Amino acid sequence: MATQELTVQNFPQVVEKGIVFIDFWASWCGPCKQFSPIYEKVSENHPDIVFGKVDTDAQQELAGMAQVQSIPTIMAFRDGIGVFRTAGVISATELESVVQQIRDLDMEKVRAEAEAAASE
């Protein structure tokens, strides 16, 4: 699956179901340009996963809501819950490993932990 552009308007609907990876980037960012082909290649290996991209210049409000402080920042959601976040370039091997780890998550346990953290 090709990557999908995310905006403030479509973000909530996109992340609410399934596995969603998000690359926060900017056109002037050297490391973002380095990571982009890696992200695209991995996205092609997983047509059942949404791979979104957020242009932090065009979507400053969304980048702010996500508390992005450096780019590239890669985030992942599963069923609307944030389950991964890192800043900087990662290799295709590392990204593939993260994809598998997120596929293997016990979502009942993740939901219980999220609910417990929210009630604190």
Side-chain angles (χ1 to χ4, degrees):
M1 169 182 245
T3 58
Q4 176 180 347
E5 195 66 34
L6 298 181
T7 65
V8 170
Q9 291 77 23
N10 69 0
F11 185 86
Q13 298 85 358
V14 171
V15 302
E16 73 183 354
K17 293 182 185 166
I19 299 173
V20 180
F21 277 82
I22 304 165
D23 173 20
F24 289 85
W25 66 281
S27 61
W28 50 263
C29 167
C32 298
K33 290 177 185 176
Q34 179 185 354
F35 180 65
S36 185
I38 294 168
Y39 191 72
E40 291 286 339
K41 182 175 184 339
V42 172
S43 77
E44 292 169 5
N45 296 338
H46 303 280
D48 60 319
I49 294 177
V50 173
F51 283 81
K53 292 182 75 73
V54 175
D55 179 343
T56 57
D57 287 335
Q59 296 294 322
Q60 292 179 11
E61 182 181 356
L62 182 53
M65 289 168 36
Q67 300 177 345
V68 172
Q69 297 183 2
S70 63
I71 51 175
T73 289
I74 299 91
M75 298 174 74
F77 290 80
R78 181 153 171 204
D79 300 334
I81 300 170
V83 293
F84 176 79
R85 178 188 187 111
T86 192
V89 176
I90 61 175
S91 71
T93 303
E94 291 169 313
L95 186 53
E96 288 285 2
S97 175
V98 171
V99 168
Q100 191 57 52
Q101 290 172 46
I102 292 172
R103 285 188 188 281
D104 294 342
L105 283 174
D106 176 347
M107 287 309 292
E108 287 184 27
K109 181 179 177 185
V110 170
R111 280 187 203 87
E113 290 170 356
E115 289 172 12
S119 65
E120 290 180 357

